Amino acid sequence: MTPFRNPAGASSARDPYSHSSYRRSMLAFLALVLAAGAGSASAEIRIDNAWARATPPGIDRGAGYMTLHNDGEQTRTLTGATADWAQSVEIHESREVDGQMRMQALPEGLTLEPGATIELAPMGLHLMIMGMDGPLTQGEERSLTLEFRNGETRKAQLDIRAPDGTADQHSH
Ligand SMILES: [Cu+2]
């Protein structure tokens, strides 16, 4: 006879729980969608021809080279890299100043506009790898994790080539 006697009480006992549970599952779903979105977005950065020169014993620095393509529609900024076999990795640029090659860090990172291709190569842009735990040996592969400003990361496999790099450099 009085089914609606206390509708507010009944609903307040039940709704907050089911509502928050719904919200929680929606948030979890959204998090999954966002995570999947970030994953596919990172595939828009393409890495080709990643390599480094072999290094002599006793030298704890090396330089990583590669070609980066931004196949996506958003600007990406490479801010640096990490490796579990080195203390730090910085983005550097070599340039000739008064007849001498000088290296300069690029703390602002390296910006890749949509559609851009940037080549990191000897005598120019490179990843300066510092505090290596041992020499780079020809024929091995070393993994670097590239870091982008939006939080994305990409793995690059450096192909370790002959110390003089001649096998891979064409004169030009
Ligand atoms: Cu350098």
Side-chain angles (χ1 to χ4, degrees):
M1 188 192 273
T2 57
F4 307 110
R5 197 181 59 168
N6 191 11
S11 87
S12 69
R14 188 197 281 265
D15 281 354
Y17 172 74
S18 61
H19 182 65
S20 70
S21 148
Y22 171 76
R23 271 192 61 176
R24 237 179 283 128
S25 57
M26 274 310 288
L27 286 173
F29 174 72
L30 275 173
L32 277 175
V33 169
L34 289 171
S40 65
S42 70
E44 293 171 353
I45 296 294
R46 192 155 42 91
I47 301 164
D48 284 331
N49 193 33
W51 67 284
R53 287 192 177 101
T55 57
I59 301 292
D60 71 348
R61 292 185 161 209
Y65 308 113
M66 64 193 64
T67 305
L68 297 170
H69 309 272
N70 183 358
D71 293 335
E73 291 176 353
Q74 290 178 350
T75 298
R76 308 273 160 178
T77 302
L78 178 70
T79 53
T82 57
D84 57 12
W85 44 276
Q87 281 169 10
S88 63
V89 182
E90 291 180 355
I91 305 168
H92 279 192
E93 184 169 29
S94 295
R95 53 172 60 172
E96 201 176 304
V97 179
D98 298 330
Q100 288 195 326
M101 288 305 288
R102 298 259 177 87
M103 280 197 311
Q104 182 181 359
L106 300 182
E108 299 300 309
L110 202 52
T111 299
L112 285 149
E113 304 289 343
T117 295
I118 292 185
E119 196 174 353
L120 286 73
M123 315 297 278
L125 292 165
H126 55 276
L127 292 175
M128 192 86 232
I129 306 162
M130 292 169 285
M132 300 193 302
D133 61 12
L136 302 178
T137 306
Q138 185 177 350
E140 68 177 346
E141 279 203 340
R142 295 288 187 119
S143 174
L144 278 184
T145 302
L146 305 185
E147 296 178 331
F148 293 86
R149 180 153 295 154
N150 64 354
E152 288 175 14
T153 58
R154 286 296 313 277
K155 286 253 192 262
Q157 293 292 336
L158 299 178
D159 198 6
I160 309 303
R161 299 180 183 170
D164 60 6
T166 48
D168 309 287
Q169 279 187 298
H170 307 281
S171 52
H172 50 184

